[in-house]
Amino acid sequence: MLIEKEKKFLEDYNPSDFAPFAVTVDIVVLGISKSAGSSYRHLDNQSLNVLLVTRPDMPYAGRSALPGGFVGESEGLDDAVRRILKKKTGLDDIYFEQLYTYGKPDRDPRMRVISCAYIALVDLEKTDVSYARWFDIETALDMELAFDHGDIISDALKRLKGKIIYTDIIFHIMPEQFTISELQEVYELILRKKLLPAAFRRTIADKIAETGEYTKAAGHRPSKLYRVKAGGNECL
Amino acid sequence: MLIEKEKKFLEDYNPSDFAPFAVTVDIVVLGISKSAGSSYRHLDNQSLNVLLVTRPDMPYAGRSALPGGFVGESEGLDDAVRRILKKKTGLDDIYFEQLYTYGKPDRDPRMRVISCAYIALVDLEKTDVSYARWFDIETALDMELAFDHGDIISDALKRLKGKIIYTDIIFHIMPEQFTISELQEVYELILRKKLLPAAFRRTIADKIAETGEYTKAAGHRPSKLYRVKAGGNECL
DNA sequence: TGAATAGTGTCTGTGAGACAATATTAT
DNA sequence: ATAATATTGTCTCACAGACACTATTCA
């Protein structure tokens, strides 16, 4: 005979009364793209982009959505992320981190689905995205996306905005070589505000190293090219 | 006839090939307890505590574990957290936030379980924890806990350590009235390092307000009692 | 040469670290 | 009076904001 206390515990842990859920991972893949400047004198314009796929099926058929998919029966969440990233970008070794888990009962009309959302940062130039398309982040946020993917993207940006101040994850989105101005512009795109060049240089000076190379044919003074210094601060 | 591209998409989204998962929430409930100082002259000792339950069943029967339970079929993750917190602490309106989702395939020997972990901060004095027990955080970390709950607790502490610097969530763990020294000691318990009283006072001065009351019978100079000022910075 | 960008120098204010000094109570 | 804590004062240093200034290239 069970005492009252033990009964109470059993309520929580009885394996027979758990409901079956589907679990997916959805990934906010972010990258920086460049478009030609307005004249030979002007720098290229950078923009923050997010990778989206088009849903072929109901629900939200034809609607854009984050790349994602169901987690396999004996597959870890991280493994599912790696598998999907490989398929959508052609890359291994992409930096990613867990963002948040979305579990509102009605978020998928078909069934109960828990979505574990991730952020991934890629060097966009290296990606081969045959089954997906890059969208400017502003455009993407204005679009009608499938499920709650619009919320997920804006949560991802909030997270990123917070983290680039006290970690070095920004470098995962940069190409191997970059100028300080480019790096500053990426910060500005994410933080949505202008920074002072002098102050910016000072603060990141110890995180980067000169490569010895310079930009060419810029129509004005060339810029030193830098790379990340080893041993950055990734934090939690 | 489907073109190759569409087939590829269908692979990811075919609703019939999803695996059934159980989803639980597990909560790291943290609170500050006081034990009497060594003499009438000395202040009470505060310690950071975590709420644990004892598992009555396999697996890990008899082992201590985080309070948690299966998420109901049409219950939101947050609703599950509120339900469990109410049962284990007797309190509504507890501050909590999502920590991380743990989904290793072998983390529960019975079946595939995804655990969505949360942090909750409570005023320990107000809790009625008939079905759980408070443990000093150091003790808890040294114990052999069920599942991966040891990892979850240490992740929770890392998160808290990061967040108390740039948010005001700390106040959710404080009683209505507190002295600056007490508040400082809580910071020190979480950050695991000593702070300078003068600097500490300066930095938190604008977040708290005097109540007009003082500590009594302290065996030495009494301290002003403060409360939180409205409109704190909770951030993401 | 000049437009456009790269990069430096420096003043100033804010805020943290360090630590000394003063204040107040119960016994 | 004294132990123990509370609270304030102040010097210094690091660093970010602001902004002026110099440097360099290509068409």
Side-chain angles (χ1 to χ4, degrees):
Chain A
M1 187 63 185
L2 287 170
I3 64 167
E4 194 54 37
K5 230 175 185 176
E6 280 173 338
K7 264 188 195 156
K8 195 91 178 179
F9 281 131
L10 278 169
E11 276 173 32
D12 292 347
Y13 288 93
N14 185 349
S16 65
D17 71 1
F18 78 89
F21 288 67
V23 176
T24 64
V25 292
D26 290 302
I27 316 170
V28 182
V29 188
L30 299 170
I32 300 294
S33 71
K34 289 183 187 180
S35 56
S38 49
S39 92
Y40 80 92
R41 279 193 184 286
H42 287 78
L43 288 176
D44 290 347
N45 294 111
Q46 295 182 105
S47 62
L48 182 59
N49 290 67
V50 60
L51 196 64
L52 298 178
V53 299
T54 305
R55 286 185 57 78
D57 279 337
M58 293 288 284
Y60 302 103
R63 203 71 76 77
S64 288
L66 294 171
F70 291 106
V71 177
E73 191 160 6
S74 55
E75 181 183 47
L77 297 173
D78 289 1
D79 296 325
V81 173
R82 266 183 284 269
R83 170 172 57 80
I84 290 161
L85 283 176
K86 174 70 180 174
K87 195 186 321 187
K88 301 295 179 191
T89 68
L91 300 176
D92 300 303
D93 290 325
I94 292 181
Y95 173 81
F96 64 89
E97 63 174 61
Q98 197 180 293
L99 170 62
Y100 193 82
T101 297
Y102 299 82
K104 279 214 287 276
D106 57 353
R107 59 180 298 283
D108 190 321
R110 292 169 295 180
M111 64 190 127
R112 185 69 196 272
V113 176
I114 299 289
S115 165
C116 198
Y118 281 76
I119 298 179
L121 302 179
V122 303
D123 177 355
L124 186 146
E125 302 297 332
K126 284 186 180 170
T127 58
D128 163 29
V129 292
S130 353
Y131 301 113
R133 220 178 108 198
W134 288 106
F135 287 81
D136 182 275
I137 195 80
E138 304 299 331
T139 311
L141 286 172
D142 285 341
M143 288 163 62
E144 292 271 334
L145 300 178
F147 306 106
D148 47 8
H149 290 188
D151 297 331
I152 298 180
I153 294 174
S154 68
D155 286 347
L157 291 175
K158 277 185 218 155
R159 165 77 66 90
L160 201 57
K161 206 165 161 174
K163 282 197 94 168
I164 59 168
I165 314 172
Y166 66 95
T167 72
D168 299 343
I169 50 167
I170 192 79
F171 294 110
H172 295 290
I173 214 173
M174 300 301 292
E176 241 105 86
Q177 301 203 347
F178 50 84
T179 69
I180 292 186
S181 299
E182 282 165 356
L183 183 59
Q184 178 175 343
E185 200 189 347
V186 174
Y187 268 90
E188 290 175 344
L189 284 168
I190 293 168
L191 296 175
R192 294 171 148 283
K193 68 170 180 185
K194 287 284 171 192
L195 304 175
L196 296 167
F200 182 78
R201 270 160 194 281
R202 273 184 311 216
T203 50
I204 53 134
D206 53 339
K207 297 177 182 176
I208 59 179
E210 296 183 16
T211 61
E213 300 193 51
Y214 287 79
T215 53
K216 285 169 199 137
H220 48 75
R221 175 173 176 177
S223 176
K224 283 183 185 174
L225 285 166
Y226 291 82
R227 54 172 179 75
V228 204
K229 222 186 251 179
N233 173 27
E234 219 103 286
C235 266
L236 173 59
Chain B
M1 188 61 187
L2 287 170
I3 63 168
E4 194 54 36
K5 232 177 186 175
E6 279 173 339
K7 264 189 196 156
K8 195 91 177 180
F9 282 131
L10 278 170
E11 275 173 31
D12 293 347
Y13 288 93
N14 186 351
S16 64
D17 71 1
F18 79 89
F21 288 68
V23 176
T24 64
V25 291
D26 290 302
I27 316 169
V28 182
V29 188
L30 299 170
I32 300 293
S33 70
K34 289 182 188 180
S35 57
S38 50
S39 92
Y40 80 93
R41 278 190 183 289
H42 286 79
L43 289 176
D44 290 348
N45 296 111
Q46 295 182 104
S47 62
L48 182 58
N49 291 68
V50 59
L51 196 64
L52 298 177
V53 300
T54 306
R55 287 186 55 79
D57 279 337
M58 294 289 283
Y60 301 105
R63 204 70 77 79
S64 289
L66 294 171
F70 290 107
V71 177
E73 191 160 4
S74 54
E75 182 183 45
L77 297 172
D78 289 3
D79 297 324
V81 173
R82 266 183 285 270
R83 170 172 58 79
I84 289 160
L85 282 175
K86 174 70 181 176
K87 194 185 322 188
K88 301 296 179 193
T89 68
L91 299 177
D92 300 304
D93 290 326
I94 291 180
Y95 173 82
F96 64 89
E97 63 173 62
Q98 196 179 295
L99 170 62
Y100 194 82
T101 298
Y102 299 82
K104 280 213 287 273
D106 56 353
R107 58 180 298 285
D108 189 320
R110 292 169 296 179
M111 63 191 128
R112 185 68 196 272
V113 177
I114 299 289
S115 166
C116 196
Y118 282 76
I119 298 180
L121 301 178
V122 302
D123 177 356
L124 185 147
E125 302 297 331
K126 284 185 177 172
T127 57
D128 164 29
V129 292
S130 351
Y131 301 112
R133 221 178 108 198
W134 288 105
F135 287 81
D136 182 276
I137 196 80
E138 304 300 331
T139 312
L141 286 172
D142 285 340
M143 288 165 61
E144 293 270 335
L145 299 178
F147 307 106
D148 47 9
H149 289 188
D151 297 330
I152 298 180
I153 294 174
S154 69
D155 286 347
L157 292 175
K158 275 184 219 156
R159 166 76 67 89
L160 201 56
K161 207 164 162 177
K163 282 199 92 166
I164 59 170
I165 314 171
Y166 65 96
T167 72
D168 299 344
I169 50 168
I170 191 81
F171 295 110
H172 294 291
I173 214 173
M174 300 301 292
E176 242 104 86
Q177 301 203 346
F178 51 84
T179 69
I180 292 185
S181 298
E182 282 165 355
L183 183 60
Q184 178 175 342
E185 200 189 346
V186 174
Y187 269 89
E188 291 174 345
L189 285 168
I190 293 169
L191 296 176
R192 295 169 147 284
K193 68 171 180 185
K194 287 284 171 193
L195 304 174
L196 296 168
F200 182 77
R201 271 159 193 279
R202 272 185 310 218
T203 50
I204 54 134
D206 53 339
K207 296 177 183 175
I208 59 178
E210 295 183 15
T211 60
E213 299 193 53
Y214 288 78
T215 54
K216 284 169 200 139
H220 49 74
R221 176 172 174 177
S223 176
K224 283 183 185 173
L225 286 165
Y226 291 83
R227 56 175 177 74
V228 203
K229 222 186 252 180
N233 172 27
E234 219 104 284
C235 266
L236 174 62

